[in-house]
Amino acid sequence: MSTAAPTQWKTLPAPDSPAAWIERAAEVAAILATDAAARDKAGATPYTEVQLLKDSGLVTLLGPAGHGGGGQDWTTAYRVIREVAKADGSIGQLLGYHYLWNWAARLVGTREQWEHVEAEAVRHTWFFGGAVNPRDSDVVVTEDGDDLVFTGAKTFSTGSRVSDVTVLEGVLEGTDRHIFAIVPSDSRGSPSTTTGTTSASGSPRAAASPSTASAPRGPPPPAMSTRSSGPASTTPSTCPRSSWSSSASTWASPPGP
């Protein structure tokens, strides 16, 4: 990527209107366009490009303004994605999936859970990935004391190599309860293959044995959220910090320091 990234973003106020966010996205696109074709041909993992999305503020576009996010709606998000994709389709895809998975807590969590997730996501500038595609069998979730263990594999996970956190979904063993969880991406198992170009997609696997692991660039992602088959009702539960590993997960970070 060009080294002409606008460092002034870190010293300027965040955009405060949809038009200003679209303009910011256009600035990002101009940088991406300088070497998009070369990067796509090389198939390089887009660490630098994701950092560009973070530095520009686009990652926190949908986050609550009260916590430092952009406070924008999905109409603006779609326009931002399109603007970025004009220059680099793969990075536009990554950004679109990031917004989707960042929003997932609102779909399956309690209000307390999704408010906590969104606040932490803005505070630590999390970049989201997800491994919830329906092409494969459900991941099996088992209980191990106070921990939850996700065991299984998914053949597709957009952003698996560059995300800070990943949304997982599985079925609690012996029930029809679907459990969604957010885990640090570097502790849920390494992608075994790359199925995308610079979208950094892969096939994540979750092992069966929980072990203590460090948090993802800030505190680990609140309590687990569960949903029964059929109507979208939720029941909260909790997991300790020590459950962060390649297999045990919580629905964002525990409250408190």
Side-chain angles (χ1 to χ4, degrees):
M1 170 177 286
S2 167
T3 58
T7 56
Q8 69 269 22
W9 283 335
K10 294 184 178 181
T11 60
L12 292 175
D16 58 2
S17 69
W21 279 107
I22 302 306
E23 182 179 352
R24 177 65 58 85
E27 294 172 357
V28 170
I31 296 171
L32 292 171
T34 61
D35 60 357
R39 286 185 288 101
D40 188 70
K41 184 177 180 179
T45 303
Y47 297 113
T48 302
E49 290 71 34
V50 168
Q51 189 61 50
L52 178 67
L53 297 177
K54 291 186 175 189
D55 292 343
S56 66
L58 296 186
V59 165
T60 56
L61 177 79
L62 292 174
H67 291 287
Q72 297 300 303
D73 59 19
W74 271 97
T75 298
T76 302
Y78 287 135
R79 294 176 65 191
V80 163
I81 294 165
R82 286 197 293 266
E83 198 67 36
V84 171
K86 289 177 186 177
D88 191 319
S90 293
I91 304 305
Q93 178 189 17
L94 274 176
L95 183 60
Y97 271 102
H98 159 76
Y99 289 150
L100 169 66
W101 296 120
N102 185 50
W103 199 258
R106 287 189 179 234
L107 303 178
V108 298
T110 65
R111 185 180 185 90
E112 181 182 12
Q113 287 170 335
W114 63 253
E115 285 182 345
H116 185 65
V117 169
E118 293 181 1
E120 291 294 286
V122 170
R123 186 172 298 116
H124 303 295
T125 326
W126 284 335
F127 195 80
F128 280 73
V132 186
N133 75 81
R135 291 175 52 185
D136 314 300
S137 299
D138 286 316
V139 169
V140 176
V141 183
T142 56
E143 295 178 290
D144 181 11
D146 291 331
D147 294 340
L148 289 174
V149 179
F150 282 68
T151 305
K154 290 291 185 179
T155 57
F156 189 78
S157 175
T158 297
S160 60
R161 294 180 182 273
V162 294
S163 59
D164 299 305
V165 293
T166 296
V167 177
L168 297 179
E169 180 269 344
V171 176
L172 187 64
E173 188 174 37
T175 76
D176 61 356
R177 294 172 59 192
H178 287 252
I179 297 177
F180 288 78
I182 297 176
V183 301
S185 296
D186 61 1
S187 66
R188 78 187 190 294
S190 300
S192 59
T193 60
T194 298
T195 56
T197 53
T198 50
S199 64
S201 301
S203 302
R205 296 179 180 274
S209 300
S211 61
T212 301
S214 59
R217 301 172 192 168
M224 169 198 68
S225 174
T226 63
R227 184 176 67 182
S228 300
S229 299
S233 60
T234 58
T235 304
S237 184
T238 59
C239 294
R241 285 181 185 270
S242 61
S243 69
W244 283 103
S245 69
S246 61
S247 56
S249 316
T250 62
W251 191 214
S253 56

